[in-house]
Structure formats: C-alpha cells, structure tokens
Amino acid sequence: MNILKSAPFLASLVLLIPPSASAMVDEAHSLIMEVAAPFVEEGFTIRADYWNGKLETGKQKLIRHQLFRGNEYWFWLATSDPGCSLKIEVYDAEGQAVTIERTDIPNCAGARVTPTKTGSYYILVKIDWEEASKAASNVGWAVAYGYR
C-alpha cells in the first residue's frame, strides 16, 4: 500500500475522532498563559509545569505546593467551559488564608500571595456552574503560577 495514497484516508479518520478532555484542559492552560503574559512584563517568571484535571462542580481540590518567603506569587485557575464561577484561594499550613489580592476575568481567577515564611501551602480550587441544571457536571481545569 502506498502511504501517500492513504494519507487522505488517515486525515479523514483524524477528523472523526472526538476531541478529548485533555483538549479542554489544554485550552484552560492556554487561557492562563494569555492572562499571565502581562505579568511577565512586570518581572514574573511563569512556570512551565502546571496542575490540571476534571472536577465535579461544587467540589473542591487542594493542591499542596512549597512557597518561599521573600517571593511574590500569582496562581491562576482557568477553565474552557463558559458559565462557571471559579474560586482560587491560598492557605498556609495552619489553614489561614494568605491571599492578598484576587483577580477575576471570564473563565479565569487569580490569587496573589507573598508568603511570610517558607513552607507548604495549599491552593484551593473550586468550580461552580452558574446554571443549576449543570450542577453535577465535571469541568476541565488548569492551575499555573508565576513568581518574582
């Protein structure tokens, strides 16, 4: 079989494959990168690694992460699913909220932190549908951060 003759057939098969859930997560991460771009101009370094997954609306997820005293951090939560309200909050090891500034734009929420000590911190992620009819749905999300 000539591979060049089979290329159109293979291309048509690819078009028939439904988009995966990871595509939605990648879209959420892409949105974060767009939101984070102006922070790079302010001296923030945006980390290439990020967290992602699916979360049932109304549920929460905690992400444990090491933060360092003397640094300033922005954490961003995004989803490619329109119609969601997003919450991101950062807590210290004692469970005290340490977020000092928040930002909300469509499909993205941010939290700024300046830790007073080095240690483990917890990033709380929560997603709710604004429409009650979709309350049990799973939503693809991504969290990324920058520091300076």
Side-chain angles (χ1 to χ4, degrees):
M1 176 180 211
N2 186 336
I3 190 76
L4 294 177
K5 289 182 180 177
S6 64
F9 173 73
L10 292 174
S12 65
L13 284 179
V14 169
L15 292 175
L16 295 175
I17 299 171
S20 68
S22 65
M24 298 173 104
V25 171
D26 290 341
E27 289 173 19
H29 184 248
S30 293
L31 176 59
I32 290 172
M33 293 298 102
E34 289 174 29
V35 169
F39 292 89
V40 172
E41 295 173 11
E42 294 178 15
F44 280 85
T45 300
I46 310 304
R47 292 296 306 253
D49 56 334
Y50 63 99
W51 301 274
N52 61 39
K54 298 261 275 168
L55 186 63
E56 187 176 325
T57 57
K59 302 289 183 183
Q60 302 179 118
K61 175 154 185 74
L62 280 176
I63 301 167
R64 188 175 68 151
H65 189 61
Q66 180 84 15
L67 300 183
F68 297 91
R69 181 179 65 122
N71 285 345
E72 177 182 7
Y73 297 87
W74 268 102
F75 290 91
W76 299 281
L77 164 65
T79 181
S80 59
D81 292 311
C84 292
S85 67
L86 306 175
K87 178 182 179 183
I88 186 166
E89 184 78 50
V90 182
Y91 295 90
D92 64 16
E94 288 80 39
Q96 299 297 314
V98 295
T99 302
I100 59 173
E101 183 180 353
R102 288 178 189 78
T103 184
D104 291 305
I105 62 169
N107 294 350
C108 190
R112 184 168 72 98
V113 178
T114 55
T116 57
K117 60 183 178 179
T118 298
S120 290
Y121 288 77
Y122 298 89
I123 301 114
L124 173 89
V125 172
K126 187 174 181 185
I127 302 171
D128 285 312
W129 278 103
E130 293 172 355
E131 298 176 34
S133 64
K134 296 182 179 180
S137 297
N138 284 324
V139 176
W141 58 272
V143 170
Y145 73 99
Y147 66 94
R148 67 173 173 185

